[in-house]
Amino acid sequence: MAGELYATEPGDFIARRNAAAAQADRSTAKQIKALRKPSASAAAINALVRDQPDLIGDVLEIGARMRDAFASRDRAEIRSLTQERQRLLQRATEGLGLSPAVQREVEETLQAAVIDAAAAAAVRSGMLVRALESTGLEQVDVTDAVALPVEIEAFPPARARRRAAPETRAKREEAAEPSESGAAAELSEPAEPAEPTESPSERRERKRLLRAAEKAVERAHADAEAIDDELDEAVDRRGDLEAERESLQRRLQRVVDDLAEARSAERDLRRRLSEAQRAVREAEKDLRDARED
């Protein structure tokens, strides 16, 4: 029932909801009447999900692919997906015949769905009641954004996916070359002494150098892991900042558009005021002329 209601044109929503509630039992009718009318932007997105499911599916798929690209730090893939995302968003929002303000909300909602899995699930439901917005810094709040609760698809945390890459590389390196313990065993327990005449002091020195080399390897591995952690944090931070930049750019454009509309309205009101004042002067002149006659 909810899906059918949110497939209705916004202007018919209230009438259809009331009609459905009138035909239901008391408990169900109460639940139906609790369904909120979608905003203009939410209704437009619901229509896109219903009328162009393949296009919306491509838009949401880009989000998952971009999360994987960021996880693996594939810069070329990130650039390619960013361009593809912009093309898809443009295709999804062009020709909708919406006002500039509603158009911006549609774009921001789809952008949030690309960035955030919860927002993607909310959009895919086809039962949005309000627009969504992502700051890029934290999970999109979809509370009361969907008519009914939706199941958010489980995506592995980005950090967990990034951990997979170093582990895979480590396994490949381990398979490609002898393990440190094996190398150490080969050096510390040679089948035959390199020098038959090796003295006890020379043997002790060789073992001391071997232990020092093993410790140096351990320290190098620890340093590499620490740097890898720092790199993960830097990549996360850069992604957050890029998303925040895009959000701020959209907000700035919205302010610029609103300012232009306000200036246009001010000019129109000044013109109308001037005409009204001129009409007052003419009326006063006619009144004086009438009194003189």
Side-chain angles (χ1 to χ4, degrees):
M1 174 58 69
E4 295 177 2
L5 277 177
Y6 286 95
T8 303
E9 292 296 326
D12 299 331
F13 182 87
I14 299 298
R16 290 285 300 275
R17 185 188 65 185
N18 291 342
Q23 297 174 2
D25 58 63
R26 178 176 298 180
S27 176
T28 304
K30 183 177 181 180
Q31 295 175 358
I32 292 175
K33 287 185 177 181
L35 296 174
R36 291 173 294 151
K37 179 181 177 181
S39 67
S41 56
I45 292 171
N46 293 339
L48 281 173
V49 172
R50 183 176 64 254
D51 299 337
Q52 301 190 57
D54 292 340
L55 177 57
I56 294 300
D58 290 342
V59 171
L60 300 182
E61 182 188 4
I62 282 290
R65 291 168 61 191
M66 288 191 72
R67 285 187 285 271
D68 290 337
F70 273 109
S72 59
R73 301 194 290 273
D74 188 338
R75 293 179 176 82
E77 181 71 1
I78 291 171
R79 286 194 296 271
S80 174
L81 291 174
T82 299
Q83 294 172 356
E84 186 175 353
R85 176 193 64 184
Q86 294 305 116
R87 288 194 296 270
L88 287 172
L89 289 177
Q90 184 175 359
R91 282 179 54 198
T93 57
E94 65 184 0
L96 297 180
L98 305 174
S99 69
V102 174
Q103 178 85 4
R104 283 195 300 271
E105 289 186 352
V106 169
E107 293 173 355
E108 290 174 356
T109 298
L110 292 178
Q111 179 70 20
V114 169
I115 295 173
D116 186 87
V123 167
R124 188 180 288 109
S125 73
M127 294 186 292
L128 276 181
V129 295
R130 66 169 175 83
L132 303 175
E133 186 174 5
S134 171
T135 64
L137 299 179
E138 53 189 31
Q139 186 177 22
V140 176
D141 181 13
V142 297
T143 306
D144 72 14
V146 187
L148 299 176
V150 295
E151 180 178 354
I152 300 174
E153 294 181 4
F155 289 95
R159 181 169 294 275
R161 290 200 298 270
R162 274 193 290 278
R163 287 280 178 259
E167 290 173 4
T168 302
R169 290 196 302 270
K171 290 180 180 178
R172 287 200 301 266
E173 292 170 359
E174 181 179 355
E177 60 186 36
S179 66
E180 294 173 27
S181 59
E186 290 177 1
L187 291 175
S188 61
E189 298 179 6
E192 294 292 338
E195 293 290 341
T197 58
E198 182 182 35
S199 65
S201 60
E202 290 173 335
R203 187 179 301 109
R204 286 194 298 271
E205 177 63 14
R206 176 170 56 80
K207 291 183 177 181
R208 185 188 66 79
L209 293 175
L210 177 60
R211 287 193 297 271
E214 290 173 343
K215 290 182 179 180
V217 169
E218 292 176 0
R219 286 194 298 270
H221 275 291
D223 291 342
E225 290 177 0
I227 293 173
D228 186 64
D229 288 340
E230 292 180 8
L231 178 59
D232 284 344
E233 294 175 359
V235 170
D236 285 343
R237 178 60 174 164
R238 177 175 58 78
D240 291 344
L241 291 174
E242 287 178 348
E244 183 180 12
R245 179 190 63 188
E246 293 180 2
S247 176
L248 291 174
Q249 287 174 339
R250 292 193 301 273
R251 292 181 182 179
L252 175 60
Q253 186 59 50
R254 180 169 56 197
V255 171
V256 170
D257 292 344
D258 291 345
L259 179 59
E261 292 178 2
R263 287 174 173 169
S264 176
E266 179 184 355
R267 287 193 298 269
D268 182 62
L269 289 171
R270 288 184 182 278
R271 177 183 58 77
R272 291 168 58 190
L273 176 61
S274 178
E275 293 174 352
Q277 290 173 338
R278 183 167 57 252
V280 168
R281 290 193 297 270
E282 292 175 354
E284 290 176 344
K285 181 177 179 302
D286 292 342
L287 176 61
R288 287 195 301 270
D289 292 344
R291 287 174 176 174
E292 290 175 358
D293 292 342

